[in-house]
Amino acid sequence: MPAFAEPAIDPPLADSYRALLRSDQLRRGGIAPAPASESVAVLERALPMIDLKRLTSGDAGERKACADAMATAASEWGFFQVINHDVGRELLEEMRREQARLFRLPFDTKEKAGLLNGSYRWGNPTATSLRHLSWSEAFHVPLASISREDCDYGKLSSLRGVMQEVADAMSRVADTVAAVLAEDLGHDAGGGEPAFPAGCDGTTCFLRLNRYPACPFAPDTFGLVPHTDSDFLTILCQDQVGGLQLMKDSRWVAVKPRSDALIVNIGDLFQAWSNNRYKSVEHKVVANAKAERLSVAYFLCPSYDSPVGTCGEPSPYRPFTFGEYRRKVQDDVKRTGKKIGLPNFLKQSPVDAMNHGLCF
């Protein structure tokens, strides 16, 4: 009997890599392009650490110190870690097991079977250069669809409940952090102002399950290309493989994983709402030659028709909705291969903004 090969679980990332490499070489007259991900030594740093238990200690001084530390980290780093976040370790471990089972499915099943409402994606379909290729696959799932009966989980019946628990738990963390950071800028939800951020609820946010396969072209390839997040806040649970890097003081810094912490990063919308006090920082994932990497990200997003607003006038940005922002980002990526983001929505030109100290 002939032996049949097992169906491939990885997307055809190597084929994309080779095609883009040939394209890059043709554009450069046969000269090999520079590595997409620069193989330079980066400093590994522990992010600022915020203990969320201090917010509920009953001590007003402790709460203020915690809020101040969070605001400082959001302003100076755009990233920080939180502990005592009440997202149980057992739940996160169960999520990782379910995630591993999901990504072990054959590639054809993930791509064509309509799992999780057809939310599967891999690589970068708009890539025109190796610098645009992400060596990864993901399910980017709207929270509203997780519990819907028509959301297809295939044979992974236990995945639905675990995803819902993780989404609910991360949502509570995101809401807590967002409220504290908004309060530090003078937003008083307890004083009659609407809840922050406006337009965000369980129907508008997303849960993204990521897998970064081991990459034979590492470390010269991105697991995820450099970018900023087009949301208010992102809550990330990563494994211990590492690979996340962020831009700090014009240098790439590697984030040291910590098993009991979640990572929080500021998104573009929060930077705009805060009048640039909080920073949406460029970050990336570097591919790993030997080990796959798994992570789960929760994106705090408003409805598409929600105005992003501002913590106070004058704002450097003109009024815009989340839907308008997303459409402009997508148009820019299709047209130029990269995201431009917030500079598109400045009241003054990006050049004038930089002259006034607004950097992106």
Side-chain angles (χ1 to χ4, degrees):
M1 295 288 291
F4 293 96
E6 290 289 327
I9 66 169
D10 289 342
L13 291 161
D15 293 343
S16 294
Y17 179 93
R18 295 186 184 99
L20 291 170
L21 177 62
R22 287 193 296 270
S23 177
D24 284 351
Q25 288 174 329
L26 285 173
R27 279 197 298 269
R28 295 169 58 89
I31 301 173
S37 179
E38 297 177 4
S39 303
V40 297
V42 296
L43 183 65
E44 186 177 58
R45 297 276 297 274
L47 295 176
M49 183 65 67
I50 308 297
D51 185 351
L52 294 184
K53 186 180 290 185
R54 299 174 70 192
L55 294 175
T56 56
S57 67
D59 184 315
E62 276 284 289
R63 188 186 191 286
K64 185 178 186 310
C66 181
D68 288 347
M70 196 184 296
T72 298
S75 300
E76 296 181 357
W77 282 78
F79 271 75
F80 51 91
Q81 298 181 95
V82 294
I83 56 173
N84 291 315
H85 42 67
D86 290 335
V87 184
R89 178 173 294 189
E90 295 80 6
L91 174 61
L92 294 175
E93 289 175 351
E94 189 176 4
M95 180 73 260
R96 192 162 292 133
R97 288 192 294 271
E98 292 286 347
Q99 195 173 349
R101 289 177 60 209
L102 174 64
F103 283 115
R104 288 290 177 275
L105 292 173
F107 168 67
D108 284 348
T109 300
K110 290 180 287 192
E111 184 183 43
K112 299 175 182 177
L115 291 174
L116 278 65
N117 277 12
S119 59
Y120 179 72
R121 56 192 63 184
W122 64 275
N124 185 346
T126 63
T128 58
S129 163
L130 285 177
R131 291 184 175 275
H132 303 151
L133 177 64
S134 292
W135 196 275
S136 57
E137 58 178 338
F139 286 88
H140 192 75
V141 188
L143 261 59
S145 70
I146 293 176
S147 60
R148 283 173 44 177
E149 290 186 6
D150 61 352
C151 187
D152 184 9
Y153 288 83
K155 297 180 180 180
L156 305 177
S157 57
S158 56
L159 177 59
R160 183 195 305 269
V162 177
M163 284 184 65
Q164 189 66 64
E165 281 192 65
V166 169
D168 291 345
M170 285 189 166
S171 175
R172 290 190 290 270
V173 176
D175 290 346
T176 296
V177 171
V180 169
L181 289 174
E183 183 181 325
D184 198 76
L185 294 179
H187 183 85
D188 184 9
E193 294 190 59
F196 176 84
C200 292
D201 58 35
T203 68
T204 61
C205 302
F206 293 83
L207 194 69
R208 183 180 175 106
L209 311 181
N210 299 304
R211 174 178 177 256
Y212 303 87
C215 174
F217 308 107
D220 298 335
T221 304
F222 295 123
L224 191 61
V225 297
H227 67 286
T228 59
D229 289 351
S230 300
D231 62 354
F232 272 103
L233 276 179
T234 303
I235 310 294
L236 177 72
C237 175
Q238 63 170 347
D239 61 19
Q240 298 302 294
V241 172
L244 176 63
Q245 297 182 6
L246 62 92
M247 186 62 71
K248 171 67 172 163
D249 299 327
S250 301
R251 293 186 60 186
W252 287 109
V253 173
V255 176
K256 185 176 182 179
R258 177 167 165 164
S259 61
D260 62 340
L262 297 176
I263 293 174
V264 179
N265 68 275
I266 302 298
D268 298 344
L269 305 187
F270 217 152
Q271 175 168 327
W273 186 88
S274 71
N275 293 343
N276 294 322
R277 175 171 171 184
Y278 300 146
K279 301 300 189 293
S280 180
V281 174
E282 190 175 34
H283 52 286
K284 64 182 179 180
V285 175
V286 177
N288 189 297
K290 297 180 179 179
E292 72 173 10
R293 177 180 184 267
L294 297 175
S295 68
V296 180
Y298 175 93
F299 297 96
L300 182 65
C301 301
S303 62
Y304 274 33
D305 59 354
S306 292
V308 172
T310 175
C311 65
E313 294 291 352
S315 169
Y317 300 98
R318 64 173 177 82
F320 62 94
T321 65
F322 179 45
E324 183 183 0
Y325 188 76
R326 284 290 302 271
R327 287 190 295 273
K328 184 60 177 169
V329 167
Q330 291 165 357
D331 289 346
D332 287 339
V333 170
K334 289 178 181 178
R335 183 172 52 85
T336 69
K338 63 182 180 180
K339 170 182 173 180
I340 296 174
L342 286 177
N344 281 321
F345 296 88
L346 289 166
K347 291 177 179 176
Q348 54 186 330
S349 73
V351 173
D352 290 339
M354 286 189 286
N355 289 338
H356 286 83
L358 301 179
C359 299
F360 300 92

